[in-house]
Amino acid sequence: MQDAQVIVLATPVFFLLIAIEALAGWRRRRITYAWSDTLNSIGLGMMSQVIGVFTKLFMLGIYQWVYAHAALFPLSAGSPGVWLGALLAYDFLYYWLHRAGHQVALFWAAHVVHHQSEEYNLSTALRQTGSGWLAGWLFYLPMAIAGVPPLVFAVVALIDLLYQFWVHTRLVGRLGWFDRWFCAPSNHRVHHAVNDVYLDRNFGGILVVWDRMFGSFQPELDAQPCVYGTRSPLRSWNPVWANVEVYAALAHDSRHARRWGDKLRVWFKPPGWRPGDLHERFPRKPFELFAIPRYAPPMTPAHAWAAGAMFMVAIGVTTVVLWNAHRLAPLQLAGAAAAVLAGLWLVGWLCERETVSGR
């Protein structure tokens, strides 16, 4: 079975859990969902999966080539110890990729998509980037060199990804000893928060032990409620812009920086770093918690229903594409993928139409 088909089979479970969480939040009078945000978070996950149909061949192709030509000790896929070791190795390397995604601007440009939502719920877990394939594969090549078979690598990568779904919730509190060892809802809420005390903490995928080992762990504090989103808010429901906004800002700064060294540094310095001359010519307001109102353009009932209907069509087409991707001809696949992306763009357009028409 293809990994895209596994995602298709898991999707009804995702949606059921999202519905349960929304109902539980409503009963507790803790509303953690907003219509436009939920549609766009899930839509970005669909977009990521459709793009992944094309890019996974690239990433796994590189992994397989390195494994075939540089593996030091090819390991057996029939050994349970190999599978467990591969999962631990993947999670360890994921920690460093995730950490780079917050501390290197080029990697943040891809990872930012996952953090743009100002809500925090199970739909946020599905909000994934479409450009992580550009450089993220570099971090996993040590597994190929160590001899982890491509099949084992692909499966443990999927396990690591699926595990992280459930930790995106505000309705599960602290879990005692579990929080000390594993990535859990409390730990991951910290990771998504923009408060000073929480910024760039808790990068672990399955295990939070890596954060404790390498000095990036921060527990959730009762006196500091988490505030979600990014320090440079997206303020758009356009899924294409969500994926390119930071790349565009980095390209702007690189183009306008006066020194050649700075033109390169903007891509590899921490997010938000800018040379002094850019601060003078293109000033930005400093970040202040609560200074920017939540992005929530009003929607008419007609637009809300239309966005929901278009979203359901996009889900249907995405399901067909993911389930049959390995059977479709390249031109068919490209056409279907373009239809999905166009539908998701239309959903975003409908969600912010009131703002556009009111300008």
Side-chain angles (χ1 to χ4, degrees):
M1 179 174 290
Q2 306 293 315
D3 58 349
Q5 293 178 321
V6 174
I7 295 296
V8 169
L9 294 176
T11 297
V13 179
F14 293 155
F15 285 174
L16 175 61
L17 293 174
I18 286 171
I20 291 172
E21 183 191 35
L23 178 61
W26 176 75
R27 294 189 65 177
R28 297 186 195 182
R29 304 192 178 207
R30 295 184 62 187
I31 307 302
T32 61
Y33 281 87
W35 183 242
S36 295
D37 177 85
T38 301
L39 293 185
N40 283 272
S41 286
I42 298 174
L44 280 161
M46 293 157 57
M47 186 173 178
S48 174
Q49 287 297 316
V50 169
I51 293 173
V53 167
F54 301 92
T55 61
K56 281 172 185 173
L57 293 176
F58 167 79
M59 293 187 293
L60 287 176
I62 291 177
Y63 185 95
Q64 191 152 10
W65 188 92
V66 173
Y67 172 80
H69 293 86
L72 299 176
F73 306 101
L75 303 171
S76 171
S79 169
V82 169
W83 285 87
L84 179 58
L87 183 58
L88 287 172
Y90 184 93
D91 201 58
F92 175 72
L93 296 173
Y94 172 85
Y95 167 85
W96 290 107
L97 170 60
H98 200 181
R99 187 163 179 165
H102 284 255
Q103 297 179 342
V104 179
L106 178 62
F107 290 99
W108 173 245
H111 185 57
V112 67
V113 176
H114 184 59
H115 284 263
Q116 290 161 340
S117 175
E118 294 172 329
E119 302 291 345
Y120 188 77
N121 52 52
L122 292 177
S123 75
T124 308
L126 303 180
R127 186 184 186 102
Q128 298 291 329
T129 180
S131 65
W133 60 275
L134 289 171
W137 54 270
L138 286 164
F139 284 77
Y140 299 113
L141 292 186
M143 292 180 67
I145 296 171
V148 175
L151 173 64
V152 177
F153 170 77
V155 172
V156 298
L158 187 60
I159 291 171
D160 209 275
L161 176 66
L162 292 175
Y163 171 88
Q164 294 176 57
F165 175 76
W166 79 281
V167 302
H168 293 80
T169 181
R170 285 185 256 178
L171 300 185
V172 176
R174 294 179 181 84
L175 299 176
W177 68 268
F178 191 86
D179 288 347
R180 292 193 291 275
W181 293 91
F182 294 93
C183 177
S186 178
N187 295 330
H188 206 62
R189 285 193 290 269
V190 166
H191 175 71
H192 274 258
V194 294
N195 315 54
D196 287 341
V197 69
Y198 297 145
L199 199 65
D200 298 338
R201 293 291 183 267
N202 299 1
F203 302 111
I206 293 178
L207 296 174
V208 81
V209 173
W210 314 125
D211 292 283
R212 293 182 179 275
M213 289 174 62
F214 300 109
S216 54
F217 179 74
Q218 170 62 50
E220 188 176 23
L221 305 173
D222 291 334
Q224 287 277 351
C226 294
V227 178
Y228 304 105
T230 67
R231 292 196 163 198
S232 297
L234 175 64
R235 305 196 70 73
S236 171
W237 299 128
N238 184 324
V240 177
W241 181 241
N243 275 277
V244 303
E245 58 143 349
V246 175
Y247 291 109
L250 291 173
H252 172 275
D253 285 357
S254 182
R255 185 173 72 253
H256 288 92
R258 291 195 174 110
R259 288 184 288 272
W260 283 101
D262 288 339
K263 290 179 181 292
L264 184 61
R265 288 187 191 98
V266 297
W267 297 92
F268 297 100
K269 285 284 190 177
W273 180 89
R274 306 174 84 209
D277 61 293
L278 287 181
H279 280 295
E280 295 171 4
R281 288 182 290 148
F282 305 100
R284 293 176 183 168
K285 292 182 179 179
F287 171 77
E288 294 181 40
L289 204 64
F290 303 117
I292 302 175
R294 182 181 296 271
Y295 184 70
M299 294 181 70
T300 64
H303 284 150
W305 279 103
M310 188 67 247
F311 178 76
M312 294 305 296
V313 171
I315 287 179
V317 177
T318 300
T319 300
V320 173
V321 170
L322 295 181
W323 191 262
N324 298 286
H326 61 292
R327 303 190 191 99
L328 296 175
L331 195 57
Q332 292 175 314
L333 191 57
V340 172
L341 300 188
L344 294 174
W345 177 86
L346 181 57
V347 170
W349 181 82
L350 288 166
C351 286
E352 58 186 14
R353 184 57 183 163
E354 281 298 295
T355 300
V356 173
S357 62
R359 286 173 185 165

